Amino acid sequence: MGLKKLGVTLRGVMAVGAILGVVATASVAQAEPEIMLRAGHSSAVTSTGHKAFELLDQRLQERTNGRIGVQIFPNSQLGGERELVESIQLGNLDMAFVSSAPVASFDSRLFALDLPFVFKDRDAAFRVLDGAVGQELLGGLTNVGLVGLAFWENGFRQLTNSKQVIRTPSDLEGMKIRTMENEVHIGTWRAVGANPSPLAFSELFTALQQGTFDAAESPINLFYDMKFNEVQKYISKTNHLYGAWLLLMSPDTLAMLSDEDQAILKEAVAETTAEQRRLAVEADAKAESVMPEVTITELTPEELKAFSDLMTPVYDLVRDKAGADLVNRVIEAAQAE
């Protein structure tokens, strides 16, 4: 086994444990590539992110004659999102896609993407993510030991619960809601009268099933993929936050690749990003159509305004966290036509 291959695929105790414990469920090529990139995520194998990793594996193998491939570890097999980020920083994992919110704990500038109700549609989100602001955010991740390759789509986050139809902030009064480990998300739900608390995503289904939480929030396609419709029967389409997945890579891994292979990776990531976003749009529509047991409520503009009008202290918090100039640039780009 060559030194490059050993360095990429078997770094540290975590790598050995992963191969011994979960290799049976990982995505591997029939003929093992010379360089196998180990990629983790917290979503189901039916998620668009997992499918995107499969597409990336195919593209890399095709364009390198099988020299480079991607081995996928889904469903938090290698840890939750925070653990995945830390593993990449330590060089124990090559790639991962994770929600932007937990990454903000490592780089506070990313709190700027958590402004509630700032993105009215996908075009507004892409103006920020694919424009100067988003590329600046990706590039700055090198300062915290991460390489930001792209923004994938997790989807607009919706409010879900097991109790009742929710149309107004008063309907949420005192309701226990699970959030990601992110001060802005916690502050958002506290501002509308709910009782928010963070919890690892891998533990969420059980917590909802046992009634530890009454409510949660997630994109509809993720809600369906994780079978939350078995324990949550109400969705309010708040579109309160556009959820981006950050596609991350270890700086050590990137440095091991030749300039030619880095160029191949960059091109493959760009093509896969476009495909993943298309799949995400389709997944939202499909999920909504196959859950007749779930009551899905469209909020009126007036009802949405009742929520967004309460967000002033949250915007102040984001300005403190991410910097006023960056926040203002996000708002300007999101509102541009």
Side-chain angles (χ1 to χ4, degrees), residues 113-140:
L113 299 181
D114 291 323
L115 291 166
F117 301 98
V118 72
F119 300 121
K120 68 177 183 178
D121 53 30
R122 284 181 170 88
D123 287 343
F126 295 155
R127 280 197 298 272
V128 173
L129 300 178
D130 297 339
V133 173
Q135 298 313 297
E136 179 182 317
L137 291 173
L138 287 178

Side-chain angles (χ1 to χ4, degrees), residues 159-160 169 172-200 204 207-208 212-217 240 311 314 317:
L159 173 63
T160 76
L172 272 168
E173 188 67 35
M175 191 172 284
K176 296 177 292 184
I177 181 170
R178 177 266 177 184
T179 71
M180 286 188 272
E181 188 179 343
N182 179 292
E183 292 178 61
V184 176
H185 288 215
I186 294 170
T188 295
W189 296 109
R190 189 169 289 145
V192 298
N195 181 16
S197 183
L199 181 75
L204 180 54
L208 294 174
T212 306
F213 290 93
D214 306 310
E217 45 91 53
H240 55 274
M311 295 298 113
V314 181
L317 173 64

Side-chain angles (χ1 to χ4, degrees), residues 12-336:
V13 174
M14 184 177 187
V16 175
I19 287 176
L20 292 175
V22 295
V23 70
T25 58
S27 174
V28 295
Q30 289 183 346
E32 187 178 6
E34 176 187 343
I35 300 173
M36 183 67 84
L37 302 175
R38 298 172 62 253
H41 66 84
S42 294
S43 298
V45 295
T46 53
S47 72
T48 61
H50 184 89
K51 293 175 183 176
F53 266 154
E54 292 178 331
L55 290 171
L56 185 60
D57 174 47
Q58 293 171 12
R59 287 190 167 103
L60 289 175
Q61 294 215 42
E62 288 171 358
R63 295 172 191 186
T64 63
N65 294 318
R67 287 188 303 102
I68 301 177
V70 180
Q71 187 178 23
I72 313 168
F73 298 86
N75 289 312
S76 300
Q77 290 178 5
L78 302 184
E81 291 193 318
R82 184 179 182 89
E83 289 78 17
L84 292 172
V85 174
E86 291 171 343
S87 293
I88 287 179
Q89 288 179 316
L90 292 170
N92 291 331
L93 184 64
D94 300 310
M95 301 179 74
F97 67 81
V98 298
S99 303
S100 64
V103 186
S105 299
F106 300 85
D107 184 347
S108 61
R109 299 171 313 134
L110 287 167
F111 280 112
L113 299 181
D114 291 323
L115 291 166
F117 301 98
V118 72
F119 300 121
K120 68 177 183 178
D121 53 30
R122 284 181 170 88
D123 287 343
F126 295 155
R127 280 197 298 272
V128 173
L129 300 178
D130 297 339
V133 173
Q135 298 313 297
E136 179 182 317
L137 291 173
L138 287 178
L141 289 170
T142 57
N143 296 324
V144 293
L146 303 166
V147 174
L149 295 176
F151 288 106
W152 286 358
E153 174 163 322
N154 194 2
F156 275 101
R157 303 185 76 83
Q158 316 297 353
L159 173 63
T160 76
N161 84 100
S162 61
K163 300 291 186 182
Q164 63 186 26
V165 172
I166 292 175
R167 287 187 172 275
T168 69
S170 61
D171 293 332
L172 272 168
E173 188 67 35
M175 191 172 284
K176 296 177 292 184
I177 181 170
R178 177 266 177 184
T179 71
M180 286 188 272
E181 188 179 343
N182 179 292
E183 292 178 61
V184 176
H185 288 215
I186 294 170
T188 295
W189 296 109
R190 189 169 289 145
V192 298
N195 181 16
S197 183
L199 181 75
F201 185 70
S202 59
E203 302 173 24
L204 180 54
F205 183 92
T206 300
L208 294 174
Q209 187 178 46
Q210 295 177 346
T212 306
F213 290 93
D214 306 310
E217 45 91 53
S218 70
I220 288 180
N221 70 80
L222 187 63
F223 178 89
Y224 177 68
D225 280 337
M226 302 307 295
K227 303 186 186 302
F228 292 154
N229 54 306
E230 295 179 4
V231 290
Q232 298 265 279
K233 299 303 181 184
Y234 300 94
I235 296 177
S236 294
K237 295 185 73 173
T238 50
N239 285 342
H240 55 274
L241 181 70
Y242 177 82
W245 274 325
L246 279 163
L247 179 60
L248 302 175
M249 190 170 198
S250 163
D252 293 342
T253 300
L254 186 63
M256 289 179 183
L257 300 179
S258 67
D259 290 345
E260 179 184 0
D261 285 345
Q262 287 187 28
I264 291 172
L265 174 67
K266 181 179 180 180
E267 181 181 47
V269 165
E271 294 175 5
T272 302
T273 297
E275 181 71 2
Q276 189 276 332
R277 289 177 177 179
R278 184 187 66 77
L279 290 172
V281 173
E282 294 177 354
D284 265 352
K286 176 184 176 181
E288 199 166 335
S289 69
V290 295
M291 295 189 294
E293 74 282 8
V294 177
T295 300
I296 300 178
T297 303
E298 295 272 358
L299 272 62
T300 67
E302 293 74 21
E303 288 170 336
L304 288 172
K305 188 174 185 299
F307 283 91
S308 62
D309 283 349
L310 299 173
M311 295 298 113
T312 298
V314 181
Y315 274 51
D316 291 341
L317 173 64
V318 176
R319 287 188 171 93
D320 288 340
K321 292 285 186 183
D325 177 67
L326 179 60
V327 168
N328 292 338
R329 288 167 60 203
V330 168
I331 294 172
E332 181 181 355
Q335 294 178 346

